[in-house]
Amino acid sequence: MKAFPGRHLGLVCLSSGLLVMTQLQGGLSKSFGQANLTPSLIKTRHEGLKAQGTLFVLEGSPFLIIAGTIHYFRVPREYWKDRLLKLQACGFNTVTMYIPWNLHEPKRNQYHFTQNLDLQIFIMMASQVGLWVILCPGPYIGSDLDLGGLPSWLLQDPNMKLRTTYKGFTKAMSHYFDELIPRIKSLQFKNGGPIIAMQVENEYGSYNMDKKYLQYVKKALVKRGIDVLLMTADGGQELSSGHLKKVLSTLRLKDINKKTYETLFSIQGHSPILMTVYTASNPDVWGLPRSILDPHMLMKDVHEMLNLQFSVNFHMFHGGTNFGFMGGARLAESFLPVVTSYDYGGLLTENGDYTPEYFTFQEFFTSYLELPKTELPESQPKIAYKSLTVTHFISLWDLIPHLKEPFRSFKPVTMENPNVNSGNGQSYGYILYETVIFNGGVLTSRNHVQDRGQVFLDKKFLGILDHTNSQVIIPRKNGYKEYMTLSILVENQGRLASGKNLNKERKGLTGDIYLNNSPLRKFQIFSLEMSVNFMKRGIPNIWKPAIYQPQFQGPAFFLAFMYVFNHPKDTFIKLEGWTKGVVFINGRNLGRYWNKGPQETLYLPAPWLRPGTNEVILFEEFKPGLQIQFSDNPELGVIA
C-alpha cells in the first residue's frame, strides 16, 4: 500500500464508530501561520487558495481551513452579522454557505435576491468580520430542503431527470446560473472578495445518474467567470463516482474507512484533506427523539483531524430554522419529514445562543492555533410573552367559496400540475381534492397520497391516508341523499432532500384513488399554498367569534392578537393543547407544529414582530387549544 509522502499510515477510530485510515506524523506546527490570512489584510491577490502537496496555501502561505456552515436563508437577515461574528470569535476563519435554487427562483424566471435572500450582503458581511467564504451554488444542495433545494416546477415535465444533462434540466439550470453567477463573480478572491473556493454540485457520487453531469456543471461555472479552487464533496463509498479531473475531492465524514483514503490517494495523489461535512448531528424528524452526538467525541475527532493537518468544516456550526414549508424529508425505514427547528446540534442554538460546546471549541481553537481571543457578541434577549386567547376563527369549509376558482380535472393531478401561480403549479402547503360519490365502501389510496391526506365526507372527518395507512371506510349514504361530497385534504410534508427517488417526488394525489376498487373521477382541486400574499390579503373578512367548543374540529384558521411594546424580543411559541398545523405571524409562515414531537416550541425571532399589535393566525388541522402560550427557552424534545 502506498503512503502519503513523509507520513505513516495507521488506523484510528473516530466517534462515528468507523475505522479510518489517517496520516500519523505528529502534531500540527504551532507556527502554521494561517491566523493572519484574513480578507481585510490580504491586499495583493494573485494565487488564491490552492492545493499544494498535502497542504492548502492561500496567496502562497500555508492555510488550514477551519470552517463552519451557516444557511443564510434559515437565519433572519437582521441576525446575519451576529452569527458571523460568533463564528469568527470561536476561532473559525471560513464560512461555508449553500445557495437554494428553489428559494431564489420560486417561479420560472422570477428571481428573488433581496431581503432574507440577499446572498451578496451575507458574503460581504462575512468579509467585513474577517471570514473567507466557501460557496456551494448547486444547482442541487441537499441541506434537508424540499427537493434538496431544486424548484418543484421542474417536476411539471413528466420526463424530468433531475441532476443530469437532460435538456429540460440543463436549460433551466443555465437560466438560473445566468442570474446567479454574475452576482457572486465579483466577490471572488482575485477580485478582492472573500470567496476562496466553490463546490461543484453536492455529493453527486451518491446519485451518479449521469457521468457527464458534473463536468457540465463545472463548465457552466467556469464559462460564467468562476475562477477559484473547485471542489467536490462525497462520502466514503461514493468518492470515485463523484470525482472530477482537476477538481479537488473532499470528504464527508460518513462511511469513511481505510479504503476511502486509498481511493482518495489513487484518484488525486498527494493532496490536502478537507472534511467538508463534519456533522455534529442529524436533523430532527417528526415522531422520533432528538439526535445529538456526544460533544466529547466531537472534540476528540476535531483534535485528531487537526493533528493530522486535516482542514475541517462544521456542518452545521449554526442551523437556524426551517421557516415556512422549506424543510424537506428523509427516507429511512419510513418517510421522515424534518421538523421546523434546524438546531442540528450546532455550536450555536437555533436562536443563536452559545452552547457549552461553543466555549469549549473557542478555547481549543484559540489555544491550538495561537489566536487572540475576541470579545463575544451578546446573545439576543428573550422573553416569555403573555399567553394569547384566540378571538376569531374561520372553518376551511367556510373559506372554500372565497378561494380562486378550483382547477377541474377528470383524474387526480399532482400538486405541481394545476394551472396556478402563473403556470408554475403549487410548490408547498396543502391541496384539497373534492369529488362526488353515490355510496360508501372502502376508500383505497394504493400509496397515491403524498404525504398525508385527511378524508372528509360532507365535511365530516373520517380518517387519514398516508405512508402507513392506505384505507378509510366510507359510510353508506343516508336514504334521502342523492350524493355525498368526498374531500381529501393533502399536506405536502416536504419532498425528499436526497436519494435517487427525487424525480418521483411529486405531491398531492399522485395517481388514482379507489372506492370499492373503482377509480374516482371528476375532481375539483383547490390550491392552499398559504403564501404570504394569501395570508396578508387573501383571507376574506368572514371571521366568526371564537367561543371555544370542545367538540369543534378543524381544519380551520384561528386568529389572535399579540401586543408588543417598543422593543420586540425573541420568544418561543408553545402550543399546549393544539394538535397539528402551521403558525403565521403578521402573514409570514413561522413553520409547522405537531403534538407528536419531538419539537414542542417554535422559535419566533424579534424581527418578525413589530411594536404594537401583531396578528397571529394558526391553521389547525384537527382540534385547537384554549390559548397560545410563550416561553423564553426552546423545548425541542427528549434526546435519544
Side-chain angles (χ1 to χ4, degrees), residues 535-556:
M535 296 306 300
K536 284 186 174 180
R537 296 188 293 273
I539 296 182
N541 188 18
I542 54 172
W543 295 97
K544 298 178 182 178
I547 301 173
Y548 184 73
Q549 302 176 27
Q551 72 274 16
F552 183 84
Q553 298 289 319

Side-chain angles (χ1 to χ4, degrees), residues 68-72 83-84 87 95-97 122 316-318:
T69 301
I70 300 175
H71 291 156
Y72 60 95
R83 307 311 193 245
L84 290 167
L87 180 69
V95 60
T96 301
M97 53 182 290
F122 185 86
M316 303 287 297
F317 169 79
H318 171 53

Side-chain angles (χ1 to χ4, degrees), residues 450-556:
Q450 303 294 325
D451 298 301
R452 194 168 188 273
Q454 297 180 58
V455 179
F456 302 87
L457 187 67
D458 290 335
K459 304 177 184 178
K460 181 180 179 181
F461 174 74
L462 297 181
I464 298 289
L465 295 171
D466 59 14
H467 292 278
T468 60
N469 183 59
S470 61
Q471 288 188 351
V472 169
I473 302 300
I474 306 297
R476 304 282 177 183
K477 72 169 184 177
N478 294 326
Y480 64 88
K481 297 189 72 173
E482 293 185 15
Y483 63 87
M484 300 178 288
T485 300
L486 180 74
S487 305
I488 306 176
L489 179 64
V490 183
E491 178 196 10
N492 169 5
Q493 294 187 304
R495 297 176 182 84
L496 290 178
S498 61
K500 295 191 175 183
N501 291 322
L502 291 182
N503 291 302
K504 301 177 182 177
E505 276 300 279
R506 292 165 180 83
K507 296 298 184 178
L509 296 185
T510 59
D512 284 327
I513 301 295
Y514 296 83
L515 182 59
N516 300 327
N517 294 320
S518 296
L520 296 174
R521 295 291 182 253
K522 296 184 179 179
F523 289 87
Q524 57 178 3
I525 303 168
F526 297 88
S527 173
L528 293 164
E529 195 164 25
M530 300 188 190
S531 65
V532 172
N533 287 341
F534 172 75
M535 296 306 300
K536 284 186 174 180
R537 296 188 293 273
I539 296 182
N541 188 18
I542 54 172
W543 295 97
K544 298 178 182 178
I547 301 173
Y548 184 73
Q549 302 176 27
Q551 72 274 16
F552 183 84
Q553 298 289 319

Side-chain angles (χ1 to χ4, degrees), residues 29-44:
S29 168
K30 291 294 185 71
S31 60
F32 199 70
Q34 90 288 350
N36 291 325
L37 298 178
T38 63
S40 60
L41 293 178
I42 294 184
K43 304 299 182 184
T44 304

Side-chain angles (χ1 to χ4, degrees), residues 37-84:
L37 298 178
T38 63
S40 60
L41 293 178
I42 294 184
K43 304 299 182 184
T44 304
R45 301 180 178 219
H46 301 291
E47 299 181 40
L49 185 69
K50 288 186 176 181
Q52 186 171 296
T54 58
L55 299 175
F56 287 108
V57 294
L58 182 60
E59 202 63 13
S61 298
F63 184 65
L64 186 70
I65 300 170
I66 307 294
T69 301
I70 300 175
H71 291 156
Y72 60 95
F73 48 89
R74 282 183 163 119
V75 180
R77 175 176 172 149
E78 293 83 352
Y79 291 160
W80 284 353
K81 191 166 186 179
D82 172 81
R83 307 311 193 245
L84 290 167

Side-chain angles (χ1 to χ4, degrees), residues 22-326:
T22 58
Q23 309 144 350
L24 304 177
Q25 70 153 20
L28 175 66
S29 168
K30 291 294 185 71
S31 60
F32 199 70
Q34 90 288 350
N36 291 325
L37 298 178
T38 63
S40 60
L41 293 178
I42 294 184
K43 304 299 182 184
T44 304
R45 301 180 178 219
H46 301 291
E47 299 181 40
L49 185 69
K50 288 186 176 181
Q52 186 171 296
T54 58
L55 299 175
F56 287 108
V57 294
L58 182 60
E59 202 63 13
S61 298
F63 184 65
L64 186 70
I65 300 170
I66 307 294
T69 301
I70 300 175
H71 291 156
Y72 60 95
F73 48 89
R74 282 183 163 119
V75 180
R77 175 176 172 149
E78 293 83 352
Y79 291 160
W80 284 353
K81 191 166 186 179
D82 172 81
R83 307 311 193 245
L84 290 167
L85 283 168
K86 289 173 178 175
L87 180 69
Q88 191 274 340
C90 194
F92 290 77
N93 56 35
T94 304
V95 60
T96 301
M97 53 182 290
Y98 293 71
I99 302 177
W101 181 3
N102 60 347
L103 301 184
H104 286 289
E105 191 185 2
K107 300 177 184 178
R108 288 182 189 86
N109 303 316
Q110 295 187 26
Y111 300 97
H112 295 184
F113 289 99
T114 60
Q115 299 177 351
N116 226 76
L117 293 173
D118 195 337
L119 58 91
Q120 292 167 288
I121 293 296
F122 185 86
I123 293 170
M124 288 187 283
M125 280 186 183
S127 180
Q128 290 166 4
V129 304
L131 292 167
W132 299 107
V133 174
I134 295 176
L135 205 59
C136 305
Y140 165 86
I141 62 169
S143 301
D144 301 300
L145 291 171
D146 184 283
L147 205 61
L150 298 173
S152 64
W153 46 259
L154 290 168
L155 296 174
Q156 289 185 320
D157 180 349
N159 301 312
M160 176 55 66
K161 296 178 179 60
L162 300 172
R163 305 178 72 189
T164 71
T165 53
Y166 173 70
K167 288 185 178 179
F169 183 76
T170 56
K171 181 179 179 181
M173 186 194 92
S174 294
H175 287 315
Y176 169 59
F177 272 13
D178 286 343
E179 290 289 329
L180 171 66
I181 301 305
R183 299 172 189 274
I184 59 181
K185 184 170 65 172
S186 63
L187 298 171
Q188 296 179 102
F189 179 86
K190 291 183 180 179
N191 296 325
I195 300 173
I196 56 173
M198 213 170 285
Q199 189 173 300
V200 180
E201 240 264 356
N202 187 51
E203 298 186 34
Y204 193 72
S206 63
Y207 194 74
N208 196 31
M209 303 292 282
D210 185 341
K211 296 186 182 302
K212 298 178 180 179
Y213 172 67
L214 278 184
Q215 188 64 34
Y216 183 91
V217 176
K218 175 188 173 183
K219 288 182 178 178
L221 294 171
V222 172
K223 78 177 185 180
R224 289 172 174 81
I226 296 305
D227 185 23
V228 293
L229 180 68
L230 296 179
M231 304 173 169
T232 57
D234 288 287
Q237 296 178 350
E238 299 87 23
L239 192 57
S240 295
S241 51
H243 173 68
L244 267 176
K245 289 183 179 179
K246 298 183 180 180
V247 172
L248 184 73
S249 290
T250 68
L251 302 176
R252 175 189 174 97
L253 188 61
K254 181 179 73 174
D255 299 330
I256 286 183
N257 52 35
K258 178 180 177 181
K259 186 178 178 181
T260 302
Y261 292 91
E262 292 174 336
T263 302
L264 183 65
F265 179 75
S266 68
I267 62 178
Q268 67 184 27
H270 309 149
S271 64
I273 292 177
L274 168 59
M275 203 66 70
T276 300
V277 182
Y278 180 63
T279 182
S281 183
N282 286 313
D284 293 330
V285 296
W286 291 113
L288 293 180
R290 297 191 67 199
S291 174
I292 296 179
L293 292 182
D294 183 345
H296 298 292
M297 296 304 292
L298 180 69
M299 172 58 77
K300 178 180 178 293
D301 286 355
V302 173
H303 194 283
E304 189 171 87
M305 284 188 280
L306 293 192
N307 273 335
L308 300 165
Q309 296 186 349
F310 286 18
S311 287
V312 63
N313 176 61
F314 278 52
H315 183 94
M316 303 287 297
F317 169 79
H318 171 53
T321 307
N322 285 313
F323 293 120
F325 296 124
M326 74 167 68

